[in-house]
Amino acid sequence: MKTKGTKNRFSARVLNEMKLRLPSLSVNEGAARAAVAAFCSQLDPSASDIADIKCAVSEAVTNCIVHAYRDTIGIIYITVRLCEGNLVRIEIKDKGCGIENVEEARQPLYTTDAANERSGMGFTVMESFCDKVRVFSGCKKGTTVTLFKYLKARE
């Protein structure tokens, strides 16, 4: 809980920002993760931190491709903010079908995939590689996933 006079540890002054818009084509998942990783490299992250970011971004973008737009092509909006204190904030947004029940969707193994081709571990993977994951969604209004990652100081 935030009280008066305390600072939210996930809010910090933005030092640099990148915005990217990509069609929800599966071939763009790799482009998204590469672009985000390249942009984050200016903070001199460890190889482990870059791998974590790439994996979390991959999961979020794949969710947009597979679930948000299902049988159509839409736009995936990615905003990366590099902040003071080595905080990286990555926002991945779609204007797709939305998530009916975010709490339920965040449970491990939950999937809406009737063919059982998906594991239902997307949010769990994102949470394991980030310090915080925030999800906002509205039916037929889209979803915004914000990934927060503190980069470890290099030795």
Side-chain angles (χ1 to χ4, degrees), residues 19-69:
K19 292 188 177 199
L20 184 63
R21 289 173 30 136
L22 295 169
S24 61
L25 302 169
S26 60
V27 295
N28 286 335
E29 177 271 328
R33 62 188 266 148
V36 172
F39 187 73
C40 291
S41 69
Q42 63 193 277
L43 291 179
D44 195 27
S46 67
S48 176
D49 279 342
I50 283 292
D52 290 353
I53 289 169
K54 288 168 108 177
C55 189
V57 167
S58 180
E59 290 294 333
V61 169
T62 297
N63 277 354
C64 295
I65 295 165
V66 172
H67 300 292
Y69 295 115

Short mmCIF file of all heavy atoms in Angstrom, two decimals, residues 19-69:
data_model
loop_
_atom_site.label_atom_id
_atom_site.label_comp_id
_atom_site.label_asym_id
_atom_site.label_seq_id
_atom_site.Cartn_x
_atom_site.Cartn_y
_atom_site.Cartn_z
N LYS A 19 8.86 3.80 -29.08
CA LYS A 19 7.52 3.32 -29.41
C LYS A 19 7.60 2.55 -30.72
O LYS A 19 8.30 2.96 -31.65
CB LYS A 19 6.53 4.48 -29.53
CG LYS A 19 6.28 5.15 -28.20
CD LYS A 19 5.17 6.16 -28.29
CE LYS A 19 4.94 6.74 -26.90
NZ LYS A 19 3.65 7.37 -26.78
N LEU A 20 6.86 1.46 -30.75
CA LEU A 20 6.90 0.55 -31.90
C LEU A 20 5.49 0.06 -32.17
O LEU A 20 4.74 -0.24 -31.23
CB LEU A 20 7.82 -0.63 -31.55
CG LEU A 20 8.13 -1.69 -32.55
CD1 LEU A 20 8.87 -1.12 -33.75
CD2 LEU A 20 8.99 -2.77 -31.89
N ARG A 21 5.10 0.01 -33.42
CA ARG A 21 3.80 -0.53 -33.83
C ARG A 21 4.07 -1.63 -34.85
O ARG A 21 4.76 -1.40 -35.84
CB ARG A 21 2.96 0.54 -34.51
CG ARG A 21 2.45 1.60 -33.62
CD ARG A 21 1.75 2.72 -34.37
NE ARG A 21 1.13 2.27 -35.61
CZ ARG A 21 -0.08 2.60 -36.02
NH1 ARG A 21 -0.81 3.42 -35.30
NH2 ARG A 21 -0.58 2.15 -37.14
N LEU A 22 3.50 -2.80 -34.59
CA LEU A 22 3.70 -3.93 -35.49
C LEU A 22 2.38 -4.64 -35.76
O LEU A 22 1.55 -4.78 -34.85
CB LEU A 22 4.64 -4.96 -34.85
CG LEU A 22 6.08 -4.54 -34.59
CD1 LEU A 22 6.78 -5.57 -33.71
CD2 LEU A 22 6.81 -4.40 -35.91
N PRO A 23 2.17 -5.12 -36.99
CA PRO A 23 1.01 -5.97 -37.24
C PRO A 23 1.12 -7.26 -36.43
O PRO A 23 2.22 -7.75 -36.17
CB PRO A 23 1.08 -6.27 -38.74
CG PRO A 23 2.02 -5.27 -39.31
CD PRO A 23 2.96 -4.89 -38.20
N SER A 24 0.00 -7.82 -36.04
CA SER A 24 0.00 -9.03 -35.20
C SER A 24 0.25 -10.30 -36.03
O SER A 24 -0.53 -11.24 -36.00
CB SER A 24 -1.33 -9.14 -34.44
OG SER A 24 -2.41 -9.24 -35.36
N LEU A 25 1.36 -10.30 -36.71
CA LEU A 25 1.81 -11.46 -37.49
C LEU A 25 2.83 -12.21 -36.67
O LEU A 25 3.69 -11.60 -36.02
CB LEU A 25 2.44 -11.00 -38.81
CG LEU A 25 1.57 -10.17 -39.74
CD1 LEU A 25 2.40 -9.57 -40.85
CD2 LEU A 25 0.44 -11.04 -40.29
N SER A 26 2.79 -13.54 -36.71
CA SER A 26 3.71 -14.33 -35.88
C SER A 26 5.17 -14.03 -36.19
O SER A 26 6.00 -14.10 -35.29
CB SER A 26 3.40 -15.82 -36.02
OG SER A 26 3.56 -16.23 -37.35
N VAL A 27 5.48 -13.65 -37.41
CA VAL A 27 6.88 -13.34 -37.75
C VAL A 27 7.38 -12.09 -37.02
O VAL A 27 8.59 -11.89 -36.90
CB VAL A 27 7.08 -13.16 -39.28
CG1 VAL A 27 6.82 -14.45 -40.02
CG2 VAL A 27 6.21 -12.04 -39.82
N ASN A 28 6.47 -11.26 -36.51
CA ASN A 28 6.88 -10.04 -35.82
C ASN A 28 7.20 -10.24 -34.35
O ASN A 28 7.72 -9.34 -33.70
CB ASN A 28 5.81 -8.96 -35.99
CG ASN A 28 5.82 -8.38 -37.38
OD1 ASN A 28 6.85 -8.41 -38.06
ND2 ASN A 28 4.69 -7.87 -37.83
N GLU A 29 6.94 -11.41 -33.81
CA GLU A 29 7.29 -11.69 -32.41
C GLU A 29 8.80 -11.56 -32.22
O GLU A 29 9.28 -10.92 -31.28
CB GLU A 29 6.78 -13.08 -32.01
CG GLU A 29 7.15 -13.51 -30.61
CD GLU A 29 8.49 -14.22 -30.55
OE1 GLU A 29 8.84 -14.91 -31.53
OE2 GLU A 29 9.19 -14.07 -29.53
N GLY A 30 9.58 -12.16 -33.13
CA GLY A 30 11.04 -12.08 -33.04
C GLY A 30 11.55 -10.66 -33.23
O GLY A 30 12.50 -10.23 -32.57
N ALA A 31 10.92 -9.92 -34.13
CA ALA A 31 11.31 -8.52 -34.36
C ALA A 31 11.06 -7.68 -33.11
O ALA A 31 11.89 -6.85 -32.74
CB ALA A 31 10.54 -7.95 -35.55
N ALA A 32 9.93 -7.92 -32.44
CA ALA A 32 9.59 -7.16 -31.23
C ALA A 32 10.62 -7.43 -30.14
O ALA A 32 11.13 -6.49 -29.52
CB ALA A 32 8.19 -7.53 -30.75
N ARG A 33 10.91 -8.68 -29.89
CA ARG A 33 11.85 -9.00 -28.81
C ARG A 33 13.25 -8.49 -29.12
O ARG A 33 13.94 -8.00 -28.22
CB ARG A 33 11.83 -10.49 -28.45
CG ARG A 33 12.22 -11.42 -29.52
CD ARG A 33 12.00 -12.88 -29.17
NE ARG A 33 13.22 -13.44 -28.61
CZ ARG A 33 13.27 -14.38 -27.71
NH1 ARG A 33 12.18 -14.91 -27.23
NH2 ARG A 33 14.40 -14.83 -27.26
N ALA A 34 13.67 -8.54 -30.38
CA ALA A 34 15.00 -8.04 -30.76
C ALA A 34 15.07 -6.52 -30.61
O ALA A 34 16.06 -5.99 -30.11
CB ALA A 34 15.32 -8.46 -32.19
N ALA A 35 14.02 -5.83 -31.05
CA ALA A 35 14.01 -4.36 -30.96
C ALA A 35 14.02 -3.90 -29.50
O ALA A 35 14.77 -2.99 -29.15
CB ALA A 35 12.78 -3.80 -31.68
N VAL A 36 13.22 -4.53 -28.66
CA VAL A 36 13.18 -4.16 -27.24
C VAL A 36 14.54 -4.43 -26.59
O VAL A 36 15.07 -3.59 -25.86
CB VAL A 36 12.04 -4.89 -26.50
CG1 VAL A 36 12.13 -4.66 -25.00
CG2 VAL A 36 10.68 -4.42 -27.03
N ALA A 37 15.12 -5.59 -26.86
CA ALA A 37 16.42 -5.93 -26.29
C ALA A 37 17.50 -4.95 -26.74
O ALA A 37 18.32 -4.50 -25.93
CB ALA A 37 16.80 -7.36 -26.67
N ALA A 38 17.48 -4.60 -28.02
CA ALA A 38 18.48 -3.66 -28.54
C ALA A 38 18.34 -2.29 -27.87
O ALA A 38 19.34 -1.67 -27.49
CB ALA A 38 18.34 -3.53 -30.06
N PHE A 39 17.11 -1.83 -27.70
CA PHE A 39 16.88 -0.54 -27.05
C PHE A 39 17.35 -0.57 -25.60
O PHE A 39 17.98 0.37 -25.11
CB PHE A 39 15.41 -0.15 -27.15
CG PHE A 39 15.12 1.23 -26.66
CD1 PHE A 39 15.49 2.36 -27.39
CD2 PHE A 39 14.46 1.43 -25.45
CE1 PHE A 39 15.23 3.64 -26.92
CE2 PHE A 39 14.19 2.70 -24.97
CZ PHE A 39 14.58 3.81 -25.71
N CYS A 40 17.06 -1.65 -24.89
CA CYS A 40 17.44 -1.78 -23.48
C CYS A 40 18.95 -1.90 -23.29
O CYS A 40 19.47 -1.62 -22.21
CB CYS A 40 16.76 -3.00 -22.84
SG CYS A 40 14.98 -2.80 -22.65
N SER A 41 19.66 -2.28 -24.35
CA SER A 41 21.11 -2.51 -24.23
C SER A 41 21.87 -1.24 -23.85
O SER A 41 22.96 -1.32 -23.30
CB SER A 41 21.67 -3.10 -25.52
OG SER A 41 21.62 -2.15 -26.56
N GLN A 42 21.29 -0.06 -24.06
CA GLN A 42 21.98 1.18 -23.70
C GLN A 42 22.16 1.33 -22.19
O GLN A 42 22.98 2.11 -21.73
CB GLN A 42 21.28 2.40 -24.29
CG GLN A 42 19.88 2.62 -23.79
CD GLN A 42 19.13 3.63 -24.62
OE1 GLN A 42 19.31 4.83 -24.38
NE2 GLN A 42 18.34 3.19 -25.56
N LEU A 43 21.41 0.53 -21.40
CA LEU A 43 21.60 0.53 -19.94
C LEU A 43 22.66 -0.47 -19.50
O LEU A 43 22.87 -0.67 -18.31
CB LEU A 43 20.28 0.23 -19.22
CG LEU A 43 19.19 1.29 -19.32
CD1 LEU A 43 17.94 0.84 -18.58
CD2 LEU A 43 19.68 2.63 -18.78
N ASP A 44 23.32 -1.12 -20.45
CA ASP A 44 24.37 -2.09 -20.18
C ASP A 44 23.90 -3.24 -19.28
O ASP A 44 24.51 -3.52 -18.24
CB ASP A 44 25.60 -1.41 -19.58
CG ASP A 44 26.84 -2.30 -19.61
OD1 ASP A 44 26.93 -3.18 -20.50
OD2 ASP A 44 27.70 -2.13 -18.74
N PRO A 45 22.79 -3.89 -19.66
CA PRO A 45 22.28 -4.99 -18.83
C PRO A 45 23.12 -6.25 -18.96
O PRO A 45 23.87 -6.41 -19.93
CB PRO A 45 20.88 -5.22 -19.40
CG PRO A 45 21.02 -4.84 -20.84
CD PRO A 45 21.99 -3.68 -20.86
N SER A 46 22.96 -7.14 -18.01
CA SER A 46 23.63 -8.43 -18.09
C SER A 46 22.93 -9.27 -19.16
O SER A 46 21.79 -9.01 -19.54
CB SER A 46 23.55 -9.16 -16.74
OG SER A 46 22.19 -9.51 -16.47
N ALA A 47 23.61 -10.30 -19.62
CA ALA A 47 23.02 -11.21 -20.60
C ALA A 47 21.78 -11.88 -20.03
O ALA A 47 20.78 -12.10 -20.73
CB ALA A 47 24.04 -12.26 -21.03
N SER A 48 21.80 -12.15 -18.74
CA SER A 48 20.66 -12.77 -18.07
C SER A 48 19.44 -11.84 -18.06
O SER A 48 18.32 -12.28 -18.32
CB SER A 48 21.06 -13.14 -16.63
OG SER A 48 19.96 -13.64 -15.93
N ASP A 49 19.66 -10.56 -17.77
CA ASP A 49 18.56 -9.60 -17.78
C ASP A 49 17.97 -9.45 -19.18
O ASP A 49 16.75 -9.38 -19.34
CB ASP A 49 19.01 -8.23 -17.25
CG ASP A 49 19.06 -8.17 -15.73
OD1 ASP A 49 18.44 -9.03 -15.07
OD2 ASP A 49 19.70 -7.24 -15.20
N ILE A 50 18.83 -9.40 -20.19
CA ILE A 50 18.33 -9.29 -21.58
C ILE A 50 17.53 -10.53 -21.95
O ILE A 50 16.46 -10.43 -22.57
CB ILE A 50 19.50 -9.08 -22.58
CG1 ILE A 50 19.97 -7.63 -22.50
CG2 ILE A 50 19.11 -9.43 -24.00
CD1 ILE A 50 18.97 -6.60 -23.02
N ALA A 51 17.99 -11.72 -21.55
CA ALA A 51 17.25 -12.95 -21.83
C ALA A 51 15.88 -12.93 -21.14
O ALA A 51 14.88 -13.34 -21.75
CB ALA A 51 18.05 -14.17 -21.38
N ASP A 52 15.82 -12.43 -19.91
CA ASP A 52 14.55 -12.31 -19.19
C ASP A 52 13.59 -11.39 -19.93
O ASP A 52 12.41 -11.70 -20.10
CB ASP A 52 14.78 -11.77 -17.77
CG ASP A 52 15.48 -12.75 -16.85
OD1 ASP A 52 15.70 -13.91 -17.25
OD2 ASP A 52 15.83 -12.33 -15.72
N ILE A 53 14.08 -10.23 -20.34
CA ILE A 53 13.26 -9.26 -21.06
C ILE A 53 12.74 -9.85 -22.36
O ILE A 53 11.55 -9.74 -22.69
CB ILE A 53 14.05 -7.95 -21.30
CG1 ILE A 53 14.23 -7.20 -19.98
CG2 ILE A 53 13.38 -7.08 -22.36
CD1 ILE A 53 15.22 -6.05 -20.03
N LYS A 54 13.63 -10.49 -23.11
CA LYS A 54 13.22 -11.08 -24.39
C LYS A 54 12.13 -12.13 -24.20
O LYS A 54 11.16 -12.18 -24.96
CB LYS A 54 14.44 -11.69 -25.09
CG LYS A 54 15.40 -10.66 -25.65
CD LYS A 54 16.69 -11.31 -26.07
CE LYS A 54 16.82 -11.35 -27.55
NZ LYS A 54 18.13 -11.93 -27.97
N CYS A 55 12.27 -12.95 -23.20
CA CYS A 55 11.29 -14.00 -22.94
C CYS A 55 9.94 -13.41 -22.56
O CYS A 55 8.89 -13.82 -23.07
CB CYS A 55 11.80 -14.95 -21.87
SG CYS A 55 10.76 -16.41 -21.69
N ALA A 56 9.93 -12.43 -21.66
CA ALA A 56 8.68 -11.80 -21.22
C ALA A 56 7.99 -11.07 -22.37
O ALA A 56 6.77 -11.18 -22.55
CB ALA A 56 8.95 -10.86 -20.05
N VAL A 57 8.76 -10.35 -23.17
CA VAL A 57 8.20 -9.65 -24.33
C VAL A 57 7.63 -10.65 -25.32
O VAL A 57 6.54 -10.46 -25.86
CB VAL A 57 9.26 -8.75 -24.99
CG1 VAL A 57 8.82 -8.27 -26.37
CG2 VAL A 57 9.58 -7.56 -24.09
N SER A 58 8.34 -11.72 -25.55
CA SER A 58 7.87 -12.76 -26.45
C SER A 58 6.51 -13.30 -26.03
O SER A 58 5.60 -13.47 -26.85
CB SER A 58 8.91 -13.89 -26.51
OG SER A 58 8.47 -14.90 -27.38
N GLU A 59 6.35 -13.57 -24.74
CA GLU A 59 5.08 -14.09 -24.23
C GLU A 59 3.95 -13.08 -24.41
O GLU A 59 2.84 -13.43 -24.83
CB GLU A 59 5.20 -14.47 -22.75
CG GLU A 59 6.06 -15.69 -22.50
CD GLU A 59 5.47 -16.98 -23.06
OE1 GLU A 59 4.24 -17.09 -23.18
OE2 GLU A 59 6.26 -17.88 -23.37
N ALA A 60 4.21 -11.81 -24.09
CA ALA A 60 3.18 -10.78 -24.19
C ALA A 60 2.77 -10.55 -25.65
O ALA A 60 1.58 -10.44 -25.95
CB ALA A 60 3.67 -9.48 -23.55
N VAL A 61 3.73 -10.50 -26.53
CA VAL A 61 3.43 -10.29 -27.95
C VAL A 61 2.70 -11.50 -28.53
O VAL A 61 1.73 -11.35 -29.28
CB VAL A 61 4.73 -9.97 -28.75
CG1 VAL A 61 4.48 -10.02 -30.24
CG2 VAL A 61 5.27 -8.61 -28.34
N THR A 62 3.12 -12.69 -28.15
CA THR A 62 2.43 -13.90 -28.61
C THR A 62 0.99 -13.91 -28.14
O THR A 62 0.09 -14.32 -28.89
CB THR A 62 3.19 -15.16 -28.14
OG1 THR A 62 4.50 -15.14 -28.73
CG2 THR A 62 2.47 -16.43 -28.55
N ASN A 63 0.72 -13.46 -26.92
CA ASN A 63 -0.66 -13.37 -26.45
C ASN A 63 -1.49 -12.46 -27.35
O ASN A 63 -2.65 -12.77 -27.65
CB ASN A 63 -0.72 -12.87 -25.01
CG ASN A 63 -0.50 -13.97 -24.00
OD1 ASN A 63 -0.41 -15.14 -24.32
ND2 ASN A 63 -0.40 -13.57 -22.74
N CYS A 64 -0.92 -11.35 -27.79
CA CYS A 64 -1.63 -10.46 -28.70
C CYS A 64 -1.95 -11.17 -30.02
O CYS A 64 -3.06 -11.08 -30.53
CB CYS A 64 -0.80 -9.21 -29.00
SG CYS A 64 -0.49 -8.13 -27.62
N ILE A 65 -0.96 -11.85 -30.55
CA ILE A 65 -1.12 -12.52 -31.85
C ILE A 65 -2.14 -13.64 -31.77
O ILE A 65 -3.05 -13.74 -32.60
CB ILE A 65 0.25 -13.06 -32.34
CG1 ILE A 65 1.21 -11.90 -32.62
CG2 ILE A 65 0.07 -13.95 -33.56
CD1 ILE A 65 2.66 -12.30 -32.77
N VAL A 66 -2.01 -14.49 -30.76
CA VAL A 66 -2.83 -15.70 -30.66
C VAL A 66 -4.22 -15.42 -30.09
O VAL A 66 -5.21 -15.96 -30.59
CB VAL A 66 -2.11 -16.76 -29.80
CG1 VAL A 66 -3.00 -17.95 -29.51
CG2 VAL A 66 -0.83 -17.21 -30.49
N HIS A 67 -4.30 -14.60 -29.05
CA HIS A 67 -5.56 -14.45 -28.34
C HIS A 67 -6.30 -13.15 -28.66
O HIS A 67 -7.51 -13.17 -28.89
CB HIS A 67 -5.33 -14.52 -26.83
CG HIS A 67 -4.74 -15.82 -26.39
ND1 HIS A 67 -5.42 -17.01 -26.47
CD2 HIS A 67 -3.51 -16.12 -25.90
CE1 HIS A 67 -4.64 -17.99 -26.03
NE2 HIS A 67 -3.48 -17.47 -25.68
N ALA A 68 -5.60 -12.03 -28.68
CA ALA A 68 -6.29 -10.73 -28.84
C ALA A 68 -6.96 -10.59 -30.20
O ALA A 68 -8.09 -10.14 -30.29
CB ALA A 68 -5.30 -9.59 -28.62
N TYR A 69 -6.23 -10.97 -31.24
CA TYR A 69 -6.75 -10.76 -32.58
C TYR A 69 -7.22 -12.04 -33.26
O TYR A 69 -7.73 -12.01 -34.36
CB TYR A 69 -5.70 -10.04 -33.44
CG TYR A 69 -5.41 -8.64 -32.95
CD1 TYR A 69 -4.17 -8.29 -32.45
CD2 TYR A 69 -6.40 -7.66 -32.99
CE1 TYR A 69 -3.91 -7.00 -32.01
CE2 TYR A 69 -6.14 -6.36 -32.55
CZ TYR A 69 -4.89 -6.04 -32.07
OH TYR A 69 -4.64 -4.77 -31.64
#
